């Protein structure tokens, strides 16, 4: 029951932390892609699909930090409520309290493996394909609302507006390419459609003005729906060029020699593969490191600020070391080995210290300064609360 209780609290804290961090990071990435709607005129659906496809990659980056927050919150609350001291007094071992944290670390590691090996690269690959389609979208890149655009000699295009769904409003198309006849198309609405391998401009509720250039006669035909062929004006399809992070794990492991010829390209693929297979190790390593600092029962009189800061600094050092090793792996296989060595060494060392029941913390001078600062903040908060109540 106790293990299940701790696991439930830690799991809820992890999911909440993951949701909050993912939302913040997603919003920042969304703001970076706003030009798809503002300058390139893409539909809101395309904009949302591109930003949502990157969510697995963003989740992969923040998952290790989410478990750090969840473990700190869970152990701090257990200590603040004196539950950890009660467990210790009743004979509950430190290893028993560690077990649910360990299970959560393994479960989050498996989730990270799913993201790193399949979901993240698949999402990034879909984003690259979508962005490539946006770049060759003739209407999005050439036709601008309120401007007369000559798409080729004798063919002029004008639209009043393009709404959030990508539909065209207020359309004028003047086609004077034929030396004998001219055509002017006016339509209230229009949209670009793909059919039978052709790109069509489907106009709705409009007229066609046909003029004879020899006798200057004019005829007008009204239509409900009319399709104008844009195939010859649309750029040929461009195959997307995928980065190593956007290729599937299978593709990276079976890369043909001709695509993996340069030393730099080989190094990037090596670093990407090492990063994907080492990512699942970090959640377990971080959970053990945090437990190493905060898993010891303490009374409410004993400040936990030094332990929290020590855990955060250690986790940050490990992750920064991983980023440095990833950069080194591009140029040397030693970097790829370090990418695995850092989290594995963290797991082994933290697990060994926990099993030995040794206590760990920051050096006493640093701990004394942090405790004094923490006590000062506590007194200021209590004084502000008392003033507000009065």
């Amino acid at each position: 029951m106790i293990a299940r209780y701790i696991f439930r609290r830690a799991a809820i804290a992890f999911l909440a932390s993951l949701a909050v961090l993912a939302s913040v990071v997603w919003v920042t990435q969304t703001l970076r892609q706003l030009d798809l709607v503002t300058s390139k005129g893409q539909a809101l659906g395309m904009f949302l699909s591109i930003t949502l496809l990157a969510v697995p990659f963003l989740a992969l980056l923040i998952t290790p930090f989410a478990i750090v927050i969840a473990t700190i919150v869970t152990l701090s609350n257990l200590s603040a409520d004196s539950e950890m001291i009660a467990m210790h007094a009743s004979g509950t071992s430190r290893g028993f309290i560690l077990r649910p944290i360990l299970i959560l670390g393994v479960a989050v590691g498996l989730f990270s493996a799913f993201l790193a090996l399949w979901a993240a690269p698949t999402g990034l690959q879909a984003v690259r394909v979508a962005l490539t389609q946006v770049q060759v979208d003739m209407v999005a890149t050439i036709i601008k609302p309120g401007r007369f655009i000559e798409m080729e000699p004798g063919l002029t295009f004008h639209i009043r507006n393009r709404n959030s769904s990508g539909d065209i409003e207020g359309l004028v198309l003047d086609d004077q390419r034929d030396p004998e006849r001219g055509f002017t198309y006016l339509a209230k609405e229009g949209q670009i459609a793909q059919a039978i391998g052709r790109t069509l401009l489907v106009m709705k509720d409009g007229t066609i003005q046909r003029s004879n250039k020899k006798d200057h006669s004019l005829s007008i035909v009204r239509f409900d729906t009319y399709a104008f062929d844009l195939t010859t004006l649309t750029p040929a399809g461009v195959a997307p060029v995928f980065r190593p992070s956007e290729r599937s794990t299978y593709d990276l492991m079976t890369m043909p020699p001709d695509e993996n010829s340069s030393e730099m390209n080989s190094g990037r693929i090596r670093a990407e593969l090492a990063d994907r297979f080492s990512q699942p190790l970090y959640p377990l390593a971080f959970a053990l490191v945090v437990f190493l600092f905060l898993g010891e029962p303490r009374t409410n009189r004993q400040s936990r600020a030094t332990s929290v800061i020590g855990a955060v600094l250690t986790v940050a050092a490990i992750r920064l070391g991983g980023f440095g090793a990833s950069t080194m792996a591009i140029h040397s296989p030693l970097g790829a080995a370090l990418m695995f060595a850092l989290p594995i060494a963290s797991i082994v060392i933290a697990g060994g210290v926990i099993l030995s029941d040794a206590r760990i913390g920051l050096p006493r001078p640093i701990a004394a300064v942090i405790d004094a600062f923490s006590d000062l903040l506590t007194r200021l908060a209590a004084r502000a609360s008392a003033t507000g109540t009065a």
Side-chain angles (χ1 to χ4, degrees):
M1 288 294 292
I2 295 178
R4 190 176 301 173
Y5 168 73
I6 297 175
F7 178 81
R8 183 171 63 252
R9 293 189 63 167
I12 292 174
F14 167 74
L15 293 175
S17 302
L18 183 64
V20 172
L21 292 175
S23 300
V24 172
V25 176
W26 181 77
V27 168
T28 59
Q29 294 300 312
T30 299
L31 295 176
R32 292 178 57 186
Q33 299 292 343
L34 270 179
D35 66 310
L36 289 174
V37 174
T38 56
S39 64
K40 294 188 177 180
Q42 289 299 310
L44 184 61
M46 171 67 76
F47 167 71
L48 291 176
S49 65
I50 289 178
T51 54
L52 289 175
L53 284 170
V55 168
F57 176 73
L58 300 177
L60 176 64
L61 295 179
I62 63 179
T63 292
F65 301 103
I67 196 171
V68 169
I69 296 173
T71 309
I72 290 176
V73 169
T74 301
L75 295 178
S76 296
N77 288 342
L78 288 176
S79 180
D81 297 338
S82 300
E83 293 174 302
M84 191 174 293
I85 294 178
M87 295 177 195
H88 184 71
S90 64
T92 302
S93 66
R94 196 179 182 190
F96 186 84
I97 300 175
L98 171 64
R99 190 182 306 165
I101 303 297
L102 197 63
I103 294 174
L104 179 63
V106 173
V108 175
L110 294 175
F111 176 64
S112 296
F114 166 74
L115 293 176
L117 298 177
W118 184 79
T122 300
L124 291 179
Q125 190 174 103
V127 169
R128 177 60 57 190
V129 172
L131 289 177
T132 302
Q133 292 175 349
V134 168
Q135 291 171 359
V136 301
D137 184 350
M138 177 269 302
V139 174
T141 56
I142 297 179
I143 300 173
K144 303 297 182 183
R147 295 173 57 186
F148 288 89
I149 304 297
E150 189 175 31
M151 302 173 65
E152 66 175 50
L155 183 63
T156 304
F157 207 126
H158 171 82
I159 63 173
R160 186 180 73 250
N161 186 33
R162 196 174 190 200
N163 60 31
S164 59
S165 62
D167 293 339
I168 296 170
E169 299 174 349
L171 182 151
V172 177
L173 178 61
D174 185 51
D175 186 0
Q176 302 295 331
R177 293 174 296 178
D178 191 321
E180 298 182 357
R181 289 186 298 265
F183 299 87
T184 301
Y185 303 85
L186 304 173
K188 289 185 178 180
E189 298 177 0
Q191 59 182 189
I192 305 298
Q194 301 290 333
I196 321 177
R198 309 191 72 81
T199 302
L200 303 176
L201 171 61
V202 181
M203 295 176 281
K204 300 178 181 179
D205 192 9
T207 60
I208 304 175
Q209 299 178 8
R210 293 187 294 190
S211 60
N212 191 313
K213 296 181 180 180
K214 292 182 179 180
D215 58 12
H216 303 289
S217 61
L218 179 68
S219 63
I220 299 176
V221 178
R222 179 171 295 278
F223 61 83
D224 292 328
T225 303
Y226 185 86
F228 185 87
D229 194 352
L230 296 174
T231 304
T232 58
L233 306 176
T234 306
V238 179
V241 178
F242 298 116
R243 302 172 182 174
S245 60
E246 298 163 349
R247 293 179 177 268
S248 69
T249 304
Y250 177 79
D251 287 344
L252 292 179
M253 297 179 68
T254 58
M255 186 73 68
D258 56 339
E259 295 186 34
N260 194 14
S261 55
S262 68
E263 182 178 351
M264 180 62 69
N265 193 42
S266 176
R268 294 186 185 280
I269 292 173
R270 177 176 59 239
E272 179 63 26
L273 282 173
D275 183 64
R276 292 187 189 183
F277 283 99
S278 63
Q279 282 285 352
L281 299 173
Y282 282 99
L284 178 58
F286 287 177
L288 288 174
V289 168
V290 173
F291 188 88
L292 175 63
F293 281 87
L294 297 172
E296 185 72 21
R298 298 186 185 185
T299 64
N300 291 334
R301 293 178 178 271
Q302 295 175 299
S303 174
R304 302 178 66 85
T306 55
S307 298
V308 172
I309 292 176
V312 171
L313 291 178
T314 304
V315 164
I318 295 171
R319 199 65 191 97
L320 288 175
F323 289 140
S326 177
T327 303
M328 187 188 302
I330 298 176
H331 307 283
S332 171
L334 178 61
L338 286 175
M339 293 177 69
F340 290 95
L342 279 172
I344 292 175
S346 302
I347 293 172
V348 172
I349 293 174
V353 175
I354 292 172
L355 292 177
S356 66
D357 284 333
R359 297 187 62 178
I360 191 170
L362 294 175
R364 287 187 178 182
I366 299 177
V369 172
I370 294 175
D371 286 340
F373 183 69
S374 177
D375 291 339
L376 176 62
L377 291 179
T378 302
R379 288 196 300 270
L380 290 176
R383 186 178 304 174
S385 178
T387 305
T389 304

